[in-house]
Amino acid sequence: MKRRSLPVAAALVASAALLLTACGGDHSGPRDNDKIAGADTGSKTPASPTASASASAASAGRPKIELPSDLTYTFTPEQTGDAVKDAVLKDNSEMIRALDAAIVAQNPRLPALEFYTEGEGAVAAEQWVKAFTDVKWTVTGAVRYFDRQVTISSKESASLTYCADESKGFSKVIKTNEIKKTPATKDSYVAYGVQVQKNKDGVWETLKIQSTRGADRCQP
């Protein structure tokens, strides 16, 4: 979504390391005309989050990711019928959710986010979340991830590509509850390329993410 654009000063902090965003942005952080998917944390009493974690993830020791009810996702496809590719898709989905959970919690070092990222991916994710925490913005809305395709390189290495429809995801000012809505445009659609690596615990960690906003192949 254009949702991940921050005010320019904060965006510059994130831009150096961030080719990654669960929701992308015209720049590397939220800006007034950009949209985000996230949570309503603007009131003095935070909204009650709803836990969302599969039984299989819990059994594997994966963290439970808590998100508010006003933040939703659609992942297509969720499964391919290939066990390895399905595991990559699942952990990619959880990384995306963990990134937004970190923004909602205003915590760049959220354990769930660190669980699904490593190396450059971890550094970029932390800086991305920090761009939001620095200006006290969060996220709200719905994001659709589609055309998700996985390429297995080895037993421990893979890559995936996918598109994001961020036209219904928005950034939100925590203090005022102001939602930064803008009309859907070509830039509401983002193409992603992700490199992942399987760690000793069987988790497909995100190592790198590149994004192209307004990519032709992701347009409706």
Side-chain angles (χ1 to χ4, degrees):
M1 339 169 196
K2 287 170 35 184
R3 66 189 187 106
R4 298 271 183 203
S5 226
L6 282 166
V8 174
L12 291 176
V13 174
S15 62
L18 186 63
L19 289 174
L20 160 152
T21 64
C23 296
D26 289 329
H27 299 74
S28 354
R31 297 189 347 171
D32 287 348
N33 62 344
D34 267 318
K35 298 177 250 180
I36 279 178
D40 178 356
T41 57
S43 60
K44 292 182 179 179
T45 303
S48 268
T50 56
S52 176
S54 68
S56 59
S59 65
R62 284 164 168 72
K64 180 173 66 174
I65 298 172
E66 296 186 338
L67 290 164
S69 59
D70 67 340
L71 177 57
T72 61
Y73 311 87
T74 302
F75 297 98
T76 308
E78 290 187 340
Q79 296 182 331
T80 65
D82 179 283
V84 178
K85 291 183 178 180
D86 290 352
V88 172
L89 289 177
K90 177 61 178 175
D91 284 346
N92 171 254
S93 299
E94 292 302 284
M95 183 279 294
I96 289 171
R97 295 173 66 255
L99 185 59
D100 275 355
I103 293 172
V104 170
Q106 295 283 283
N107 181 5
R109 298 296 301 274
L110 189 74
L113 182 57
E114 294 186 336
F115 185 90
Y116 287 106
T117 57
E118 183 59 50
E120 293 179 30
V123 173
E126 181 179 342
Q127 291 189 350
W128 182 244
V129 176
K130 190 175 186 298
F132 282 88
T133 62
D134 284 349
V135 293
K136 307 302 182 188
W137 282 22
T138 185
V139 289
T140 187
V143 188
R144 179 173 64 96
Y145 296 94
F146 61 99
D147 194 20
R148 304 170 76 212
Q149 301 180 34
V150 179
T151 300
I152 304 299
S153 303
S154 69
K155 291 182 178 179
E156 288 84 30
S157 179
S159 61
L160 66 155
T161 59
Y162 54 92
C163 294
D165 172 3
E166 303 178 342
S167 61
K168 295 181 181 179
F170 305 95
S171 58
K172 184 174 184 177
V173 180
I174 293 175
K175 184 176 180 179
T176 64
N177 280 334
E178 178 189 1
I179 297 175
K180 301 291 187 175
K181 290 189 175 182
T182 59
T185 67
K186 180 178 181 179
D187 285 345
S188 300
Y189 299 87
V190 188
Y192 288 93
V194 182
Q195 294 181 22
V196 296
Q197 181 172 293
K198 188 177 182 180
N199 66 18
K200 61 182 179 62
D201 296 318
V203 178
W204 288 93
E205 299 174 311
T206 295
L207 300 181
K208 293 182 181 180
I209 300 182
Q210 294 183 323
S211 64
T212 302
R213 182 163 297 282
D216 289 339
R217 74 177 184 87
C218 295
Q219 299 302 310

